[in-house]
Amino acid sequence: MKRHHYFIKITGIVQGVGFRPFVHRLAHECRLRGNVRNDSTGVFIHAEGSAADLATFLRRLPVMAPPLAIIDHMDHEELSPENFREFAIIASEKTAGSVSSVSPDIATCEDCRRELLEPADRRYLYPFINCTNCGPRYTIISEMPYDRSATSMAAFTMCPACEKEYHDPRDRRFHAQPNACWTCGPRCRLLDNQGKHLPNPDPVRQAADLLRAGHIIAIKGLGGYHLAVDAGNESAVRTLRQRKRRDEKPFAIMARDIAQIRTFTIVSPDEEVLLHAPQRPIVLLEQKAGSPIAPSVAPRNRYFGVLLPYTPLHIILFEAHGCGPLVMTSGNFSEEPIVTANRQAVEFLRPIADYFLTHNREILVRNDDSVVRTFNRRIYFLRRARGYAPAPVRVPWSLPPVLATGAELKNTIALSRDDRVFISQHIGDLENTEVYRSFEETIRHLQTLYVIQPTAIAYDLHPEYLSTKYALSREGEVRLVGVQHHHAHIAACMAENGVSGTVLGLSMDGTGYGTDGRIWGGEFLRCDLHDFERLAHFEYVPLPGSSRAIREPWRMAVSYLRHAYGSDFRNLPLPLLLEIDSKSLELLLQMMDRRLNCPETSSLGRLFDAVAALCNLRQKVYYEGQAAMELEMVLSPADEEGYELGIVDGQVRTAPLIRQVVEDVLAGIPPGRISHRFHRGLVNLMRSFCRQQRTAGGLNTVALSGGVFQNHWLLNHLHHALQEDGFQVLVHHLVPANDGGISLGQAVVAGTRLGNPAVVLSPTAEKAPNEKPLDFNRQPQEND
């Protein structure tokens, strides 16, 4: 029988996911000899056997790969036979050049969970149990290839039992880099508020008892510390809010299982699948009436953000020690990065936490929990972080190496190379030194991890964004490419949907610096990946007090009232105007008259704020988008027309809308009906615009992006209306519609402008992949 020798190269997320043991087993099943190894760029296989056996091997490789693996490319070539004697797994090599994708952190698998709770198992209740199918990855790695020496587990020498598992290709823990047990691995400790160790043979049980007693505990997780408290204890939750300085922003809840989650939320089949996904994101679920959850967990909200346990420590708290639902919120003060280091935790979280449940495995990369919801049977991100980052988004073009620095709020950074864009975890709002330092650390870490040296840096046009200042500080080192904020939003949506032509882009958000130096945010664009044309926008109004108007929506209400009524608005018997201090109102009007600190804005987000304030829902906000969110939360669906909105000379005229809202407020119409008429009016406006543009220019593809499209009602009804009209509608499913997706758009636009001949722009959009339900049980494929 003639033997053939194939050399096979596989790239993608193929390290840290049990890929080499899988190859070893499959090779033996197919009667092949040779070897498999990792290097920095992927997995390499030498396989010798009959033509038929090799064909079977190649056919089975991609379809039988481990559940956490994502194969980007698989190539093979035939070489001269070398007469291998067996099939072996050989040591990894570190090579120069491009690097394979890094696996995100993955929730504890069912096999490990069973062992964890089995009294006869040697890892019974061991808080760091893991295998090749689960556990920490991205948060413990310093460089590729993914070997123990390149992780924070290098500090722990395996005992003989763990060593045997690690070297046995038939074992589930073969080359599981974080492999450990009670004998040789990390340990938990309980500390008091001053950082003093409280000796206890079972610190996790003691922590559970303290949680039930109403104490706040800082618990070290995969990507940072959580602050935990009994979610049913109103007094304890209020104390956490007060200490954390987080007045009203909702807290996330971790619960034991789906049965427990169903006691306080309504869970659809798609949402249940997403809750059980190996990434274990926080999923937004509708609250159930009569919920046992404390009211202060999510005030003025119809949803809870809920997640299931994803580390062994979490499972022990719930399964072995009987904890009820727990608030699990980021271990930080509001607007600061999540704390990762033990000493830092005690120092910074002491004013919040009563106790610390910590451990001695170092976190190398901070990584918050991801936040998602379902939309149209697909995943829809609000925050992309643990479980998903830094998995790349693949695009059907080749891009040069570009660093994209993202936006100011909800910052992420991105690095492009070839057909992949590696997007960082959520970094946060670049409004203080600590977050900016995290931003710089993330850039250094991703460039080191993926061995990418950018030839260009893409940045937002806003001159005061710290991400922009970082880019401009690199002038002279690399080429700088400024990308307008709303163009980046639409380009991100196009890229993740694989569309490279021209689309209608509805880019709606709160703030984005325009090419005219004003604040944009309600933009109707004609876009390709190179440039854009502004077709229409919401008309400009003053933003009195600049950023202060964002924190105090009553200011935007006054701005719109003045725009609609002139000085006569002061005679309107509106509850809002009766509550505003006359001196404050006078000062505000003087500012607008003199144009002092009153930049002009076309933001739809600010229009939402104004309507919420006119309905007397919210005059001051404690977190971004709060007024708009509460306006959506009170919405009462009704069979009535929306407010009339029209575009005249390229501008959406808002004065008629404001007059309609005021008439309804004065007539005593409930805020829920006003909210519905406002939302319905926006859907009608955007639908009419798209119809007109299709008639005028033939464009039939519409991309929806920007933070406003986190509004589920607006997104759902507009998406349905446009599809009903026969439009191809592009929405996000790999990155958030908010500013967390900006870095992807910047990278793609910059790569296109750098003259890459592989990016071909056509007059009309190429067909995007068909809509299909997402299999939440695996890593989402980049172009799902």
Side-chain angles (χ1 to χ4, degrees), residues 112 219 317 326 329 346 438 526 622 678 703 708 762:
C112 285
I219 300 176
L317 282 171
L326 297 175
T329 189
V346 173
S438 178
R526 177 186 174 96
Y622 295 94
F678 175 62
V708 166
S762 58

Side-chain angles (χ1 to χ4, degrees), residues 506-509 516 518-524 534-541 560 563 600-608 644-655 657 678 681-683 685-686 708-709 714:
L506 305 188
S507 190
M508 307 290 165
D509 62 6
D516 60 0
R518 293 188 275 193
I519 305 300
W520 292 8
E523 310 307 313
F524 300 80
R534 194 185 194 195
L535 300 174
H537 59 87
F538 281 78
E539 62 182 330
Y540 289 114
V541 296
Y560 275 103
H563 178 72
E600 291 187 309
T601 181
S602 62
S603 166
L604 179 53
R606 301 289 77 82
L607 182 57
F608 265 91
E644 289 193 17
L645 282 161
I647 298 177
V648 180
D649 297 329
Q651 297 189 56
V652 179
R653 301 301 182 183
T654 56
L657 164 74
F678 175 62
L682 291 174
V683 170
L685 169 75
M686 295 176 192
V708 166
F709 288 113
L714 181 66

Side-chain angles (χ1 to χ4, degrees), residues 694-708:
R694 179 168 58 187
T695 300
L699 290 178
N700 195 55
T701 301
V702 182
L704 308 179
S705 191
V708 166

Side-chain angles (χ1 to χ4, degrees), residues 263-266 286-292:
T263 65
F264 58 92
T265 68
I266 299 167
E286 187 177 351
Q287 295 184 20
K288 184 178 284 186
S291 161

Side-chain angles (χ1 to χ4, degrees), residues 167-287:
H167 290 292
D168 184 354
R170 297 163 298 180
D171 196 282
R172 201 175 82 251
R173 294 187 171 89
F174 175 75
H175 279 235
Q177 306 306 339
N179 190 32
C181 70
W182 283 110
T183 303
C184 61
R187 292 293 189 101
C188 286
R189 297 202 311 166
L190 188 69
L191 312 178
D192 69 11
N193 178 263
Q194 299 303 307
K196 180 182 177 182
H197 179 216
L198 302 176
N200 189 293
D202 194 345
V204 183
R205 178 183 289 278
Q206 187 177 1
D209 292 339
L210 291 167
L211 285 166
R212 279 190 290 271
H215 291 287
I216 299 168
I217 301 187
I219 300 176
K220 190 175 183 180
L222 282 181
Y225 276 81
H226 280 116
L227 291 164
V229 75
D230 180 356
N233 187 326
E234 174 67 10
S235 174
V237 175
R238 283 184 177 273
T239 299
L240 176 59
R241 283 206 177 277
Q242 180 183 13
R243 293 181 185 176
K244 187 175 163 69
R245 300 198 293 268
R246 183 163 164 169
D247 295 290
E248 297 185 13
K249 190 174 183 179
F251 287 137
I253 304 169
M254 181 177 285
R256 181 184 65 243
D257 52 27
I258 290 293
Q260 191 173 79
I261 290 172
R262 289 190 191 279
T263 65
F264 58 92
T265 68
I266 299 167
V267 186
S268 73
D270 283 345
E271 289 164 343
E272 182 172 352
V273 170
L274 191 50
L275 283 163
H276 278 297
Q279 296 85 6
R280 289 294 196 280
I282 296 170
V283 183
L284 295 192
L285 303 173
E286 187 177 351
Q287 295 184 20

Side-chain angles (χ1 to χ4, degrees), residues 296-339:
S296 293
V297 169
R300 296 195 185 193
N301 204 310
R302 294 206 302 256
Y303 297 90
F304 286 129
V306 186
L307 74 165
L308 287 168
Y310 60 85
T311 71
L313 177 57
H314 297 152
I315 295 169
I316 295 168
L317 282 171
F318 286 97
E319 297 282 356
H321 302 321
C323 282
L326 297 175
V327 164
M328 281 283 191
T329 189
S330 300
N332 57 4
F333 283 99
S334 291
E335 314 310 328
E336 294 183 1
I338 188 170
V339 173

Side-chain angles (χ1 to χ4, degrees), residues 46-63:
H46 287 275
E48 280 188 359
S50 70
D53 288 340
L54 284 166
T56 301
F57 182 70
L58 288 175
R59 186 174 66 252
R60 291 181 180 178
L61 263 175
V63 298

